[in-house]
Amino acid sequence: MNEMKILVVEDDRSVSSLITTTLKLNQYNYISAGTGNEAISLCASHHPDLILLDLGLPDMDGIEVIRTIRTWSGAVIIIISARGEDSDMIAALDSGADDYLTKPFSIEELLARIRAAQRRMQYIRAGRAENPVFTNGDLSIDYTSRQVTLAGKEVRLTAIEYRLLTLLCANVGKVLTHS
Ligand code: CA
Protein backbone atom coordinates (compact mmCIF):
# COMPACT_ATOMS: atom_id res chain seq x y z
CA MET A 1 0.00 0.00 0.00
CA ASN A 2 1.22 3.45 -0.92
CA GLU A 3 1.52 5.63 2.17
CA MET A 4 0.59 8.86 0.41
CA LYS A 5 -2.96 10.06 1.22
CA ILE A 6 -4.91 11.65 -1.62
CA LEU A 7 -8.04 13.80 -1.39
CA VAL A 8 -10.19 13.71 -4.55
CA VAL A 9 -12.52 16.71 -4.94
CA GLU A 10 -14.93 16.33 -7.85
CA ASP A 11 -18.71 16.77 -8.08
CA ASP A 12 -19.07 14.94 -11.39
CA ARG A 13 -19.71 11.35 -10.30
CA SER A 14 -18.38 9.71 -13.46
CA VAL A 15 -15.08 11.64 -13.31
CA SER A 16 -14.83 11.06 -9.56
CA SER A 17 -15.34 7.32 -9.90
CA LEU A 18 -12.83 7.13 -12.76
CA ILE A 19 -10.22 8.81 -10.54
CA THR A 20 -10.97 6.82 -7.39
CA THR A 21 -11.05 3.51 -9.27
CA THR A 22 -7.66 4.36 -10.77
CA LEU A 23 -6.27 5.23 -7.34
CA LYS A 24 -7.64 2.03 -5.82
CA LEU A 25 -6.18 -0.13 -8.61
CA ASN A 26 -2.81 1.53 -8.06
CA GLN A 27 -3.00 1.04 -4.30
CA TYR A 28 -3.22 4.66 -3.30
CA ASN A 29 -4.99 5.72 -0.10
CA TYR A 30 -7.73 8.18 -0.90
CA ILE A 31 -10.75 10.03 0.44
CA SER A 32 -13.21 11.91 -1.70
CA ALA A 33 -15.41 15.00 -1.52
CA GLY A 34 -18.09 16.32 -3.85
CA THR A 35 -18.27 19.92 -2.59
CA GLY A 36 -15.84 22.67 -1.58
CA ASN A 37 -16.96 22.72 2.02
CA GLU A 38 -16.59 18.97 2.33
CA ALA A 39 -13.10 19.24 0.78
CA ILE A 40 -12.01 21.87 3.32
CA SER A 41 -13.30 19.89 6.27
CA LEU A 42 -11.74 16.59 5.06
CA CYS A 43 -8.47 18.39 4.46
CA ALA A 44 -8.50 19.70 8.03
CA SER A 45 -9.36 16.33 9.57
CA HIS A 46 -7.33 13.96 7.36
CA HIS A 47 -4.25 16.03 6.35
CA PRO A 48 -3.91 14.65 2.80
CA ASP A 49 -0.48 14.82 1.10
CA LEU A 50 -2.01 15.45 -2.31
CA ILE A 51 -5.29 17.04 -3.41
CA LEU A 52 -6.84 16.50 -6.84
CA LEU A 53 -9.20 19.44 -7.14
CA ASP A 54 -11.92 20.15 -9.68
CA LEU A 55 -12.33 23.92 -10.10
CA GLY A 56 -16.05 23.91 -10.89
CA LEU A 57 -17.76 22.85 -7.66
CA PRO A 58 -21.45 23.27 -6.80
CA ASP A 59 -21.09 25.28 -3.58
CA MET A 60 -17.97 27.37 -4.08
CA ASP A 61 -15.20 28.24 -6.50
CA GLY A 62 -12.25 25.81 -6.48
CA ILE A 63 -9.94 28.82 -6.16
CA GLU A 64 -11.63 29.71 -2.88
CA VAL A 65 -10.97 26.14 -1.72
CA ILE A 66 -7.25 26.52 -2.57
CA ARG A 67 -6.99 29.86 -0.73
CA THR A 68 -8.64 28.43 2.37
CA ILE A 69 -6.60 25.21 2.42
CA ARG A 70 -3.36 27.08 1.78
CA THR A 71 -3.70 29.03 5.04
CA TRP A 72 -2.61 25.89 6.88
CA SER A 73 -1.84 23.04 4.47
CA GLY A 74 1.31 22.38 2.47
CA ALA A 75 -0.33 19.53 0.51
CA VAL A 76 0.44 19.30 -3.19
CA ILE A 77 -2.63 20.57 -5.08
CA ILE A 78 -3.29 19.41 -8.64
CA ILE A 79 -6.19 21.19 -10.30
CA ILE A 80 -8.51 19.38 -12.67
CA SER A 81 -10.13 21.87 -15.01
CA ALA A 82 -12.33 21.69 -18.06
CA ARG A 83 -11.02 22.93 -21.39
CA GLY A 84 -11.49 26.65 -21.98
CA GLU A 85 -10.98 27.61 -18.35
CA ASP A 86 -7.42 28.84 -18.89
CA SER A 87 -7.84 32.04 -16.88
CA ASP A 88 -9.23 30.03 -13.96
CA MET A 89 -6.24 27.72 -14.16
CA ILE A 90 -3.80 30.63 -13.97
CA ALA A 91 -5.67 32.11 -11.02
CA ALA A 92 -5.61 28.70 -9.35
CA LEU A 93 -1.85 28.35 -9.82
CA ASP A 94 -1.37 31.87 -8.47
CA SER A 95 -3.52 30.98 -5.45
CA GLY A 96 -1.23 28.13 -4.47
CA ALA A 97 -2.01 25.15 -6.70
CA ASP A 98 1.06 23.20 -7.86
CA ASP A 99 0.05 21.54 -11.10
CA TYR A 100 -2.95 20.98 -13.36
CA LEU A 101 -4.70 18.46 -15.56
CA THR A 102 -7.13 19.43 -18.31
CA LYS A 103 -10.27 17.35 -18.88
CA PRO A 104 -10.44 14.98 -20.62
CA PHE A 105 -7.18 13.52 -19.32
CA SER A 106 -5.80 10.01 -19.63
CA ILE A 107 -5.30 7.68 -16.70
CA GLU A 108 -1.59 7.49 -17.57
CA GLU A 109 -1.32 11.29 -17.38
CA LEU A 110 -3.08 11.37 -14.01
CA LEU A 111 -0.77 8.69 -12.59
CA ALA A 112 2.33 10.41 -13.99
CA ARG A 113 1.34 13.71 -12.30
CA ILE A 114 0.79 11.89 -9.01
CA ARG A 115 4.18 10.19 -9.27
CA ALA A 116 5.84 13.54 -10.06
CA ALA A 117 4.19 15.09 -6.97
CA GLN A 118 5.33 12.12 -4.90
CA ARG A 119 8.95 12.57 -6.05
CA ARG A 120 8.87 16.27 -5.15
CA MET A 121 7.56 15.42 -1.68
CA GLN A 122 10.35 12.88 -1.21
CA TYR A 123 13.00 15.43 -2.24
CA ILE A 124 11.60 17.93 0.25
CA ARG A 125 11.54 15.38 3.07
CA ALA A 126 15.04 14.12 2.24
CA GLY A 127 16.29 17.72 2.09
CA ARG A 128 15.09 18.31 5.63
CA ALA A 129 16.71 15.15 6.91
CA GLU A 130 20.04 15.97 5.28
CA ASN A 131 20.15 19.51 6.57
CA PRO A 132 20.03 19.42 10.37
CA VAL A 133 20.90 23.10 10.80
CA PHE A 134 18.37 25.82 10.00
CA THR A 135 19.53 29.42 9.69
CA ASN A 136 17.59 32.59 8.96
CA GLY A 137 19.29 35.92 9.63
CA ASP A 138 20.78 35.78 13.15
CA LEU A 139 18.72 32.74 14.08
CA SER A 140 20.21 29.28 13.93
CA ILE A 141 18.70 25.95 15.03
CA ASP A 142 20.60 22.69 15.21
CA TYR A 143 17.84 20.08 14.97
CA THR A 144 20.12 17.24 16.10
CA SER A 145 21.20 18.84 19.40
CA ARG A 146 18.03 21.02 19.67
CA GLN A 147 20.26 24.02 20.23
CA VAL A 148 18.94 27.45 19.28
CA THR A 149 21.24 30.43 18.91
CA LEU A 150 20.50 34.05 18.12
CA ALA A 151 23.47 36.08 16.85
CA GLY A 152 25.77 33.38 18.23
CA LYS A 153 24.24 33.38 21.73
CA GLU A 154 22.42 30.30 22.96
CA VAL A 155 18.69 30.78 23.57
CA ARG A 156 17.02 28.63 26.21
CA LEU A 157 13.51 27.54 25.23
CA THR A 158 10.85 25.39 26.84
CA ALA A 159 9.79 22.25 24.94
CA ILE A 160 6.64 23.98 23.65
CA GLU A 161 8.52 27.11 22.63
CA TYR A 162 10.99 24.94 20.74
CA ARG A 163 8.21 23.09 18.93
CA LEU A 164 6.48 26.34 17.99
CA LEU A 165 9.74 27.76 16.71
CA THR A 166 10.56 24.71 14.57
CA LEU A 167 7.02 24.73 13.17
CA LEU A 168 7.39 28.39 12.20
CA CYS A 169 10.81 27.69 10.69
CA ALA A 170 9.42 24.86 8.59
CA ASN A 171 6.84 27.31 7.24
CA VAL A 172 8.85 30.47 6.67
CA GLY A 173 6.80 33.14 4.91
CA LYS A 174 3.51 31.32 5.42
CA VAL A 175 0.61 32.36 7.62
CA LEU A 176 -0.20 29.68 10.21
CA THR A 177 -3.41 29.31 12.17
CA HIS A 178 -3.40 29.49 15.95
CA SER A 179 -4.06 25.76 16.32
CA1 CA B 1 -17.26 20.10 -11.67
mmCIF file with all atom_site columns, all heavy atoms in Angstrom, residues 91-102:
data_model
loop_
_atom_site.group_PDB
_atom_site.id
_atom_site.type_symbol
_atom_site.label_atom_id
_atom_site.label_alt_id
_atom_site.label_comp_id
_atom_site.label_asym_id
_atom_site.label_entity_id
_atom_site.label_seq_id
_atom_site.pdbx_PDB_ins_code
_atom_site.Cartn_x
_atom_site.Cartn_y
_atom_site.Cartn_z
_atom_site.occupancy
_atom_site.B_iso_or_equiv
_atom_site.pdbx_formal_charge
_atom_site.auth_seq_id
_atom_site.auth_comp_id
_atom_site.auth_asym_id
_atom_site.auth_atom_id
_atom_site.pdbx_PDB_model_num
ATOM 1  N N   . ALA A 1 91  ? -5.311 31.589 -12.344 1.00 0.00 ? 91  ALA A N   1
ATOM 2  C CA  . ALA A 1 91  ? -5.672 32.112 -11.018 1.00 0.00 ? 91  ALA A CA  1
ATOM 3  C C   . ALA A 1 91  ? -5.462 31.040 -9.951  1.00 0.00 ? 91  ALA A C   1
ATOM 4  O O   . ALA A 1 91  ? -5.011 31.335 -8.841  1.00 0.00 ? 91  ALA A O   1
ATOM 5  C CB  . ALA A 1 91  ? -7.125 32.579 -11.018 1.00 0.00 ? 91  ALA A CB  1
ATOM 6  N N   . ALA A 1 92  ? -5.775 29.798 -10.301 1.00 0.00 ? 92  ALA A N   1
ATOM 7  C CA  . ALA A 1 92  ? -5.612 28.699 -9.346  1.00 0.00 ? 92  ALA A CA  1
ATOM 8  C C   . ALA A 1 92  ? -4.138 28.476 -9.022  1.00 0.00 ? 92  ALA A C   1
ATOM 9  O O   . ALA A 1 92  ? -3.765 28.299 -7.865  1.00 0.00 ? 92  ALA A O   1
ATOM 10 C CB  . ALA A 1 92  ? -6.234 27.419 -9.908  1.00 0.00 ? 92  ALA A CB  1
ATOM 11 N N   . LEU A 1 93  ? -3.288 28.525 -10.047 1.00 0.00 ? 93  LEU A N   1
ATOM 12 C CA  . LEU A 1 93  ? -1.848 28.350 -9.819  1.00 0.00 ? 93  LEU A CA  1
ATOM 13 C C   . LEU A 1 93  ? -1.316 29.494 -8.963  1.00 0.00 ? 93  LEU A C   1
ATOM 14 O O   . LEU A 1 93  ? -0.535 29.288 -8.053  1.00 0.00 ? 93  LEU A O   1
ATOM 15 C CB  . LEU A 1 93  ? -1.094 28.273 -11.153 1.00 0.00 ? 93  LEU A CB  1
ATOM 16 C CG  . LEU A 1 93  ? -1.317 26.987 -11.963 1.00 0.00 ? 93  LEU A CG  1
ATOM 17 C CD1 . LEU A 1 93  ? -0.776 27.150 -13.375 1.00 0.00 ? 93  LEU A CD1 1
ATOM 18 C CD2 . LEU A 1 93  ? -0.674 25.782 -11.291 1.00 0.00 ? 93  LEU A CD2 1
ATOM 19 N N   . ASP A 1 94  ? -1.797 30.710 -9.252  1.00 0.00 ? 94  ASP A N   1
ATOM 20 C CA  . ASP A 1 94  ? -1.371 31.872 -8.465  1.00 0.00 ? 94  ASP A CA  1
ATOM 21 C C   . ASP A 1 94  ? -1.869 31.804 -7.025  1.00 0.00 ? 94  ASP A C   1
ATOM 22 O O   . ASP A 1 94  ? -1.282 32.392 -6.133  1.00 0.00 ? 94  ASP A O   1
ATOM 23 C CB  . ASP A 1 94  ? -1.867 33.181 -9.113  1.00 0.00 ? 94  ASP A CB  1
ATOM 24 C CG  . ASP A 1 94  ? -1.016 33.565 -10.319 1.00 0.00 ? 94  ASP A CG  1
ATOM 25 O OD1 . ASP A 1 94  ? 0.133  33.079 -10.410 1.00 0.00 ? 94  ASP A OD1 1
ATOM 26 O OD2 . ASP A 1 94  ? -1.497 34.340 -11.164 1.00 0.00 ? 94  ASP A OD2 1
ATOM 27 N N   . SER A 1 95  ? -2.964 31.089 -6.795  1.00 0.00 ? 95  SER A N   1
ATOM 28 C CA  . SER A 1 95  ? -3.519 30.980 -5.447  1.00 0.00 ? 95  SER A CA  1
ATOM 29 C C   . SER A 1 95  ? -2.832 29.898 -4.618  1.00 0.00 ? 95  SER A C   1
ATOM 30 O O   . SER A 1 95  ? -3.149 29.726 -3.447  1.00 0.00 ? 95  SER A O   1
ATOM 31 C CB  . SER A 1 95  ? -5.014 30.663 -5.504  1.00 0.00 ? 95  SER A CB  1
ATOM 32 O OG  . SER A 1 95  ? -5.674 31.657 -6.225  1.00 0.00 ? 95  SER A OG  1
ATOM 33 N N   . GLY A 1 96  ? -1.946 29.136 -5.246  1.00 0.00 ? 96  GLY A N   1
ATOM 34 C CA  . GLY A 1 96  ? -1.227 28.133 -4.466  1.00 0.00 ? 96  GLY A CA  1
ATOM 35 C C   . GLY A 1 96  ? -1.330 26.703 -4.967  1.00 0.00 ? 96  GLY A C   1
ATOM 36 O O   . GLY A 1 96  ? -0.828 25.784 -4.332  1.00 0.00 ? 96  GLY A O   1
ATOM 37 N N   . ALA A 1 97  ? -1.978 26.497 -6.132  1.00 0.00 ? 97  ALA A N   1
ATOM 38 C CA  . ALA A 1 97  ? -2.007 25.146 -6.702  1.00 0.00 ? 97  ALA A CA  1
ATOM 39 C C   . ALA A 1 97  ? -0.627 24.853 -7.295  1.00 0.00 ? 97  ALA A C   1
ATOM 40 O O   . ALA A 1 97  ? 0.127  25.780 -7.615  1.00 0.00 ? 97  ALA A O   1
ATOM 41 C CB  . ALA A 1 97  ? -3.077 25.049 -7.778  1.00 0.00 ? 97  ALA A CB  1
ATOM 42 N N   . ASP A 1 98  ? -0.277 23.575 -7.412  1.00 0.00 ? 98  ASP A N   1
ATOM 43 C CA  . ASP A 1 98  ? 1.059  23.204 -7.864  1.00 0.00 ? 98  ASP A CA  1
ATOM 44 C C   . ASP A 1 98  ? 1.116  22.739 -9.306  1.00 0.00 ? 98  ASP A C   1
ATOM 45 O O   . ASP A 1 98  ? 2.127  22.867 -9.970  1.00 0.00 ? 98  ASP A O   1
ATOM 46 C CB  . ASP A 1 98  ? 1.603  22.078 -6.977  1.00 0.00 ? 98  ASP A CB  1
ATOM 47 C CG  . ASP A 1 98  ? 1.683  22.508 -5.539  1.00 0.00 ? 98  ASP A CG  1
ATOM 48 O OD1 . ASP A 1 98  ? 2.662  23.193 -5.196  1.00 0.00 ? 98  ASP A OD1 1
ATOM 49 O OD2 . ASP A 1 98  ? 0.755  22.219 -4.762  1.00 0.00 ? 98  ASP A OD2 1
ATOM 50 N N   . ASP A 1 99  ? 0.025  22.149 -9.762  1.00 0.00 ? 99  ASP A N   1
ATOM 51 C CA  . ASP A 1 99  ? 0.050  21.541 -11.096 1.00 0.00 ? 99  ASP A CA  1
ATOM 52 C C   . ASP A 1 99  ? -1.389 21.464 -11.600 1.00 0.00 ? 99  ASP A C   1
ATOM 53 O O   . ASP A 1 99  ? -2.324 21.753 -10.854 1.00 0.00 ? 99  ASP A O   1
ATOM 54 C CB  . ASP A 1 99  ? 0.656  20.139 -10.983 1.00 0.00 ? 99  ASP A CB  1
ATOM 55 C CG  . ASP A 1 99  ? 1.191  19.616 -12.314 1.00 0.00 ? 99  ASP A CG  1
ATOM 56 O OD1 . ASP A 1 99  ? 1.032  20.305 -13.337 1.00 0.00 ? 99  ASP A OD1 1
ATOM 57 O OD2 . ASP A 1 99  ? 1.752  18.503 -12.314 1.00 0.00 ? 99  ASP A OD2 1
ATOM 58 N N   . TYR A 1 100 ? -1.586 21.090 -12.860 1.00 0.00 ? 100 TYR A N   1
ATOM 59 C CA  . TYR A 1 100 ? -2.954 20.979 -13.364 1.00 0.00 ? 100 TYR A CA  1
ATOM 60 C C   . TYR A 1 100 ? -3.097 19.874 -14.396 1.00 0.00 ? 100 TYR A C   1
ATOM 61 O O   . TYR A 1 100 ? -2.135 19.436 -15.006 1.00 0.00 ? 100 TYR A O   1
ATOM 62 C CB  . TYR A 1 100 ? -3.412 22.305 -13.962 1.00 0.00 ? 100 TYR A CB  1
ATOM 63 C CG  . TYR A 1 100 ? -2.620 22.737 -15.170 1.00 0.00 ? 100 TYR A CG  1
ATOM 64 C CD1 . TYR A 1 100 ? -2.981 22.320 -16.458 1.00 0.00 ? 100 TYR A CD1 1
ATOM 65 C CD2 . TYR A 1 100 ? -1.505 23.543 -15.022 1.00 0.00 ? 100 TYR A CD2 1
ATOM 66 C CE1 . TYR A 1 100 ? -2.238 22.688 -17.562 1.00 0.00 ? 100 TYR A CE1 1
ATOM 67 C CE2 . TYR A 1 100 ? -0.752 23.923 -16.123 1.00 0.00 ? 100 TYR A CE2 1
ATOM 68 C CZ  . TYR A 1 100 ? -1.130 23.495 -17.390 1.00 0.00 ? 100 TYR A CZ  1
ATOM 69 O OH  . TYR A 1 100 ? -0.387 23.853 -18.479 1.00 0.00 ? 100 TYR A OH  1
ATOM 70 N N   . LEU A 1 101 ? -4.317 19.436 -14.535 1.00 0.00 ? 101 LEU A N   1
ATOM 71 C CA  . LEU A 1 101 ? -4.696 18.459 -15.556 1.00 0.00 ? 101 LEU A CA  1
ATOM 72 C C   . LEU A 1 101 ? -5.905 19.044 -16.258 1.00 0.00 ? 101 LEU A C   1
ATOM 73 O O   . LEU A 1 101 ? -6.783 19.609 -15.610 1.00 0.00 ? 101 LEU A O   1
ATOM 74 C CB  . LEU A 1 101 ? -5.144 17.159 -14.894 1.00 0.00 ? 101 LEU A CB  1
ATOM 75 C CG  . LEU A 1 101 ? -4.111 16.091 -14.563 1.00 0.00 ? 101 LEU A CG  1
ATOM 76 C CD1 . LEU A 1 101 ? -4.777 15.022 -13.712 1.00 0.00 ? 101 LEU A CD1 1
ATOM 77 C CD2 . LEU A 1 101 ? -3.547 15.463 -15.823 1.00 0.00 ? 101 LEU A CD2 1
ATOM 78 N N   . THR A 1 102 ? -5.971 18.919 -17.580 1.00 0.00 ? 102 THR A N   1
ATOM 79 C CA  . THR A 1 102 ? -7.129 19.426 -18.313 1.00 0.00 ? 102 THR A CA  1
ATOM 80 C C   . THR A 1 102 ? -8.014 18.258 -18.729 1.00 0.00 ? 102 THR A C   1
ATOM 81 O O   . THR A 1 102 ? -7.521 17.261 -19.246 1.00 0.00 ? 102 THR A O   1
ATOM 82 C CB  . THR A 1 102 ? -6.663 20.208 -19.556 1.00 0.00 ? 102 THR A CB  1
ATOM 83 O OG1 . THR A 1 102 ? -5.716 21.187 -19.128 1.00 0.00 ? 102 THR A OG1 1
ATOM 84 C CG2 . THR A 1 102 ? -7.820 20.920 -20.221 1.00 0.00 ? 102 THR A CG2 1
#
